[in-house]
Amino acid sequence: LLLLLISVYAYVTMHSRDDSSPRIKIHSSLTLFGLIMAVCLFAQLWFPYLPLYAIAYMLGTSLLHTFVVSDEKEGYRRELEEAAEITEVRDTISSLLDNMPGMTFTKDAKTGVYLACNQAFAEYAQKKNPDGVVGHTAAELFDAETAAHFMKDDKIALSLGKPYVYFEDVADAAGNPKQIQTTKLKYTDTDS
């Protein structure tokens, strides 16, 4: 009875979703597994000396392995490949940022959260590496006056249709005063 209930549930679930669902193969396999097991167990009652249960179990588990486990393995393999590609792109961007002269960073325009930076900017923010900066806002990394200055300049840069270039006097990571040229520009990524 339990196997029949599993089959009915899988069948109903399979037909309640659209046909393009990737899980339709899994539900089909569960439906067949439950039916094969239920029919063979029912037949086993009339023919107790035949190995019908063992045959049904072998067929059912083979079916599940073929269609469910193999699909799950393929899904995990694809996820690993995608993760490797993302890591490769992240490493490429980090390498690009670290080899740029001067301090370089990128922020989310809406939240002000740093998305990436190079080692020079991380040192300016008094962090060991860029991981200490990424995921934080200027208010979390700098004193209130510096953070307000950065946010004001960010608003100006976001309002312009061209790069915002200006000169300013700032202290470096060691606290020494320096005059630097700052260029801020907005860009749109593929998610925007």
Side-chain angles (χ1 to χ4, degrees), residues 169-183:
D169 295 319
V170 296
D172 63 11
N176 302 320
K178 293 195 176 208
Q179 186 176 50
I180 61 170
Q181 175 187 340
T182 300
T183 304

Side-chain angles (χ1 to χ4, degrees), residues 3-76:
L3 291 167
L4 285 175
L5 287 174
I6 289 171
S7 295
V8 169
Y9 174 77
Y11 183 79
V12 169
T13 303
M14 177 176 60
H15 287 291
S16 67
R17 297 180 182 194
D18 60 359
D19 289 337
S20 64
S21 173
R23 300 191 60 84
I24 197 162
K25 196 184 290 186
I26 293 171
H27 290 101
S28 299
S29 300
L30 284 173
T31 301
L32 285 173
F33 172 77
L35 287 175
I36 290 170
M37 290 295 292
V39 167
C40 287
L41 277 173
F42 188 71
Q44 185 78 53
L45 295 173
W46 279 277
F47 305 104
Y49 296 113
L50 293 177
L52 296 176
Y53 175 76
I55 291 170
Y57 190 74
M58 181 185 67
L59 288 173
T61 53
S62 296
L63 183 74
L64 287 177
H65 184 274
T66 300
F67 294 109
V68 177
V69 175
S70 298
D71 282 354
E72 292 292 325
K73 283 182 184 177
E74 182 63 24
Y76 290 139

Side-chain angles (χ1 to χ4, degrees), residues 61-146:
T61 53
S62 296
L63 183 74
L64 287 177
H65 184 274
T66 300
F67 294 109
V68 177
V69 175
S70 298
D71 282 354
E72 292 292 325
K73 283 182 184 177
E74 182 63 24
Y76 290 139
R77 187 191 60 74
R78 278 194 306 268
E79 287 177 13
L80 285 173
E81 286 176 357
E82 290 172 5
E85 288 175 12
I86 289 169
T87 301
E88 183 180 339
V89 168
R90 186 179 298 137
D91 290 345
T92 301
I93 291 171
S94 293
S95 176
L96 176 67
L97 286 173
D98 284 339
N99 288 302
M100 291 180 122
M103 295 184 285
T104 306
F105 62 86
T106 183
K107 286 182 177 180
D108 183 285
K110 293 177 183 152
T111 63
V113 171
Y114 288 98
L115 302 174
C117 73
N118 64 358
Q119 185 62 35
F121 186 78
E123 290 170 3
Y124 176 72
Q126 299 180 350
K127 301 295 179 184
K128 285 185 191 178
N129 55 41
D131 291 336
V133 175
V134 173
H136 297 282
T137 63
E140 296 170 335
L141 297 171
F142 303 102
D143 62 82
E145 182 181 332
T146 304

